[in-house]
Amino acid sequence: MPATSQKVFVGAGERVPEGGRLVVDIGEITIGIFRVDGNLYAYLNRCAHQRGPVCQGKIIPRVTEVIDSGGESHGFAFDETHLHIVCPWHGFEYDIKTGAHPGRRSARLIPVTVEEAADGIYVTV
Ligand code: FES
């Protein structure tokens, strides 16, 4: 990123629908912008694993294992309260709201400041 940051217009708010994403190139960097529960989140398009294009992966709810009080597994279920982005290279997942890998706290996406104004979406790079 440049030594001095700048606010860059990336488009109208409708370009990032609820549960969706917009991937944009700004100079030498690529940024993924997501909307979850009405709020915007943005990250560099660089996976913490091997720098894959994580923001271009599938968006899916978190998968959890259903375990009863006796410790028996009853299969898997989607947790619709947590949306994840899945890196297309090797499957690392990140919570879109936090940028954190759910099982490896040291693996997280690099956040980018994003804001929505009356005329659209801006990121600071
Ligand atoms: S580079 Fe993303 S999972 Fe490997």
Side-chain angles (χ1 to χ4, degrees), residues 47-54 87-92 94:
C47 182
H49 180 222
Q50 291 182 353
R51 302 169 70 92
V54 60
C87 181
W89 280 12
H90 314 102
F92 268 44
Y94 302 90

Side-chain angles (χ1 to χ4, degrees), residues 83-115:
L83 264 192
H84 284 185
I85 182 77
V86 183
C87 181
W89 280 12
H90 314 102
F92 268 44
E93 292 186 26
Y94 302 90
D95 185 311
I96 293 175
K97 286 185 176 179
T98 65
H101 186 287
R104 188 183 293 193
R105 288 297 167 193
S106 62
R108 53 177 46 252
L109 301 178
I110 299 170
V112 173
T113 299
V114 60
E115 48 194 293

Side-chain angles (χ1 to χ4, degrees), residues 17-88:
E18 178 63 32
R21 118 280 314 266
L22 172 68
V23 177
V24 294
D25 291 324
I26 300 173
E28 297 292 311
I29 63 173
T30 304
I31 294 171
I33 304 166
F34 304 85
R35 190 184 300 275
V36 179
D37 294 335
N39 298 312
L40 294 176
Y41 303 88
Y43 301 98
L44 292 185
N45 190 25
R46 186 189 308 158
C47 182
H49 180 222
Q50 291 182 353
R51 302 169 70 92
V54 60
C55 295
Q56 291 160 267
K58 286 188 183 241
I59 297 172
I60 64 166
R62 178 180 183 175
V63 176
T64 59
E65 186 171 8
V66 180
I67 300 175
D68 66 23
S69 58
E72 184 177 343
S73 176
H74 294 275
F76 297 94
F78 287 117
D79 176 358
E80 302 286 344
T81 64
H82 289 83
L83 264 192
H84 284 185
I85 182 77
V86 183
C87 181

